[in-house]
Amino acid sequence: QVQLVESGGGLVQPGGSLKLSCGASGTILSIYSMAWYRQAPGNQRELVARITSVGSTNYAEAVKGRFTISANNAKTTVYLQMNNLKPEDAAAYSCDGDIRSRTSMRRDYWGQGTQVTVSS
């Protein structure tokens, strides 16, 4: 089994910063990519940022220049540094791992999510 656990969400004022963390554990054989998604009430889930096993990254246009995704070498821990937060960034942020485990073919695993609230 593979588990993803996020942390770091909370309440922040507009213009503030937060850093989210996601740790992957379990019977992992390979991590192909790790990503952060978010979903605000009434909206579809959207990709925020992704980092691949070789360190390539891509970002949603709305967060470019403000958010940075990073990870440890094994990609078992991924971070999302969020700067200059805006009210429209408020959402439930979830970590997604494209992972092959010892007991399962390559598939997506999801964390439970962490809430980010941006409000004065």
Side-chain angles (χ1 to χ4, degrees):
Q1 282 286 36
V2 174
Q3 299 83 36
L4 272 62
V5 179
E6 302 103 330
S7 62
L11 171 65
V12 64
Q13 292 185 344
S17 298
L18 278 177
K19 186 173 185 177
L20 306 182
S21 300
C22 172
S25 62
T27 56
I28 296 170
L29 282 180
S30 299
I31 297 179
Y32 299 94
S33 70
M34 296 283 281
W36 287 97
Y37 284 78
R38 68 185 181 186
Q39 186 170 20
N43 291 354
Q44 290 189 336
R45 184 170 61 193
E46 61 175 354
L47 174 68
V48 177
R50 173 176 279 116
I51 186 165
T52 70
S53 59
V54 296
S56 299
T57 59
N58 64 285
Y59 296 90
E61 284 295 325
V63 307
K64 281 183 179 178
R66 300 187 297 121
F67 290 12
T68 302
I69 190 169
S70 62
N72 63 353
N73 285 340
K75 304 300 183 294
T76 52
T77 303
V78 63
Y79 307 96
L80 185 68
Q81 177 67 48
M82 304 184 293
N83 298 329
N84 190 22
L85 281 158
K86 304 176 181 181
E88 53 264 39
D89 294 317
Y93 284 70
S94 298
C95 178
D96 161 62
D98 181 3
I99 296 170
R100 182 183 175 194
S101 75
R102 297 185 188 277
T103 57
S104 176
M105 300 295 288
R106 178 178 175 179
R107 50 160 282 194
D108 282 301
Y109 292 86
W110 292 89
Q112 81 287 355
T114 186
Q115 185 67 39
V116 172
T117 303
V118 184
S119 176
S120 54

